[in-house]
Amino acid sequence: MNFTRILRHLFMPPWRVRLAFPARTLRAIEAAIHECETTHAGEIRFAVESALPLFPLLRGQTARARALEVFAHLRVWDTEHNNGVLIYLLLADHDVEIIADRGVHARVGGEAWEQICREMEVLFRDGKFEAGVLHGVREVSKQLVRFYPSRGPGPNELANRPVVL
């Protein structure tokens, strides 16, 4: 059990998300997702959470495990071509996770997602939250364009609005 991590989560107030991601930033992220999705047939979601609840934290839940839960909860897996991608940020751990549906993950691979996460984390360390997420959305889109190019206007299977948990 990591007591430092537990304390960091317990003392991470939910308002820290709103400080890092004010309404204008959330609108910019939503617009970027919408714009990027016009270039490919994939679907992107962004979710941010200040800290884990106490019981999952005590069980040692990782940011990756939480991202998988959020992926399922937001139904990112529920796209016709299995090409949904979740960008998840857990502020208390300063951790970004990208979870891709099996169709796109099989084509892109974990190394590319991990590289995007590291680039985002560099920007976040400098307090550039909006720039970090916008960079991540653009980089994820580059991967989606490679394997799921746009075939004209299609349905928007997942909401573009960022989720604050």
Side-chain angles (χ1 to χ4, degrees):
M1 190 175 301
N2 184 333
F3 291 108
T4 303
R5 182 175 187 241
I6 291 170
L7 289 174
R8 194 172 54 243
H9 280 258
L10 290 177
F11 292 104
M12 175 64 72
W15 57 263
R16 290 283 304 268
V17 171
R18 292 293 179 197
L19 188 62
F21 295 94
R24 129 189 102 61
T25 297
L26 295 175
R27 286 191 302 274
I29 294 167
E30 182 176 6
I33 291 171
H34 173 75
E35 181 182 328
C36 285
E37 285 183 352
T38 64
T39 67
H40 55 75
E43 294 288 331
I44 300 172
R45 293 294 320 254
F46 172 72
V48 58
E49 190 163 28
S50 62
L52 294 175
L54 182 59
F55 291 117
L57 187 58
L58 292 175
R59 286 193 316 265
Q61 184 178 41
T62 63
R64 181 96 182 148
R66 178 62 179 149
L68 287 166
E69 285 180 359
V70 173
F71 182 86
H73 176 73
L74 296 177
R75 301 178 60 97
V76 179
W77 54 266
D78 195 16
T79 60
E80 183 178 353
H81 300 290
N82 299 318
N83 56 1
V85 178
L86 171 68
I87 301 171
Y88 171 80
L89 171 60
L90 181 56
L91 280 179
D93 284 347
H94 309 285
D95 196 354
V96 179
E97 296 290 339
I98 295 178
I99 308 292
D101 203 345
R102 63 189 174 275
V104 68
H105 183 72
R107 294 177 175 174
V108 174
E111 286 183 29
W113 303 131
E114 193 61 33
Q115 177 62 34
I116 296 168
C117 289
R118 297 299 75 82
E119 292 167 3
M120 292 174 69
E121 288 170 355
V122 168
L123 290 165
F124 294 158
R125 274 193 291 274
D126 291 338
K128 299 176 182 174
F129 293 99
E130 182 175 336
V133 176
L134 296 179
H135 174 77
V137 168
R138 285 189 301 269
E139 293 301 310
V140 166
S141 287
K142 286 179 186 177
Q143 297 299 323
L144 291 170
V145 165
R146 289 177 53 209
F147 300 106
Y148 298 94
S150 177
R151 292 188 170 83
N156 189 21
E157 296 179 82
L158 301 174
N160 297 333
R161 184 182 69 255
V163 177
V164 177
L165 301 165

